[in-house]
Amino acid sequence: MSRAGSTDPRTPPAAAPWEADDDLGLAVRLLASTPTHEGRDPELLRHWARTAEAFGAALAPVPCRARITERADGLERGLLARYTSRPAPAVELYTDTLAAAEALIDARGWRHWYPRGSVREAALAHEAVHEQLHHGPAKAALKHALGHVVLRAGRFRLHGHVAGAEEIAAHAYARTVCGLGRSPLHLTAALADAVTQREK
Ligand SMILES: [Zn+2]
């Protein structure tokens, strides 16, 4: 049984290993924990993470055009926001998870990184990237930038999908357009930890 203190948002959990990482380090961690990347060269993962970050940070700001719906079962489902392309482009925002993220920012003293209300704004920005990558030419541009060549035939090159890269690009875009001090990837990692602690 865990101490009652671990469920108290005012008591920060012991520092997790990822806390020492900068945003790029967290992006590398995300790739390394993706099953298709098991056994890949850490330097290659770092290169992909850096490329995806730079790609996302350089994307021109676009409004989220998808229909937004709010739900309150995010903590239960482990979701903060989600983009779905069918039947029509839609973004689900999980208000309970957004509230938990805002409370965690206060509890950890991270307001200088994530101003009040920025979690919702960042979530919408993040999902706007998924929307853009789903429908527009940006998906091919990201693949090209990553340069993961899976087939070569003469001058022809087929670029493969790099699992996790889109996620890193979406976080980097959200950090940039929302002017955050740290990537939402950092907040997501902390939130996942906090929820896990609570469930122990
Ligand atoms: Zn995402």
Side-chain angles (χ1 to χ4, degrees), residues 81 126-127 130 166-167 170-171:
H126 180 113
E127 302 308 323
H130 285 310
E166 184 174 326
E167 198 55 21
H171 280 305

Side-chain angles (χ1 to χ4, degrees), residues 10-183:
R10 288 167 304 181
T11 309
W18 60 265
E19 298 217 30
D21 283 347
D22 59 9
D23 289 344
L24 179 63
L26 290 175
V28 174
R29 229 175 239 279
L30 185 151
L31 290 182
S33 67
T34 304
T36 52
H37 299 317
E38 266 168 22
R40 285 209 208 270
D41 178 7
E43 276 312 305
L44 177 63
L45 295 183
R46 183 159 283 268
H47 167 70
W48 281 343
R50 199 182 295 123
T51 305
E53 255 195 13
F55 182 90
L59 277 175
V62 282
C64 185
R65 280 185 300 261
R67 197 169 63 92
I68 299 161
T69 52
E70 294 192 349
R71 301 177 52 131
D73 56 350
L75 289 171
E76 190 182 302
R77 306 179 67 194
L79 290 168
L80 191 140
R82 189 168 70 138
Y83 172 73
T84 49
S85 59
R86 286 155 199 267
V91 170
E92 288 170 349
L93 277 182
Y94 292 85
T95 52
D96 57 332
T97 316
L98 288 174
E102 291 284 350
L104 184 68
I105 292 165
D106 281 332
R108 302 298 300 265
W110 290 344
R111 272 296 162 213
H112 57 296
W113 287 334
Y114 309 106
R116 196 163 300 282
S118 65
V119 186
R120 183 191 174 93
E121 197 195 334
L124 288 175
H126 180 113
E127 302 308 323
V129 172
H130 285 310
E131 183 187 19
Q132 199 185 340
L133 290 178
H134 192 87
H135 298 285
K139 193 186 192 84
L142 174 59
K143 261 190 182 177
H144 198 262
L146 290 162
H148 179 32
V149 177
V150 289
L151 185 77
R152 238 181 263 264
R155 286 166 55 201
F156 179 79
R157 267 169 202 192
L158 183 68
H159 289 99
H161 171 72
V162 175
E166 184 174 326
E167 198 55 21
I168 293 169
H171 280 305
Y173 171 81
R175 176 185 171 170
T176 304
V177 297
C178 299
L180 306 179
R182 290 272 333 241
S183 169

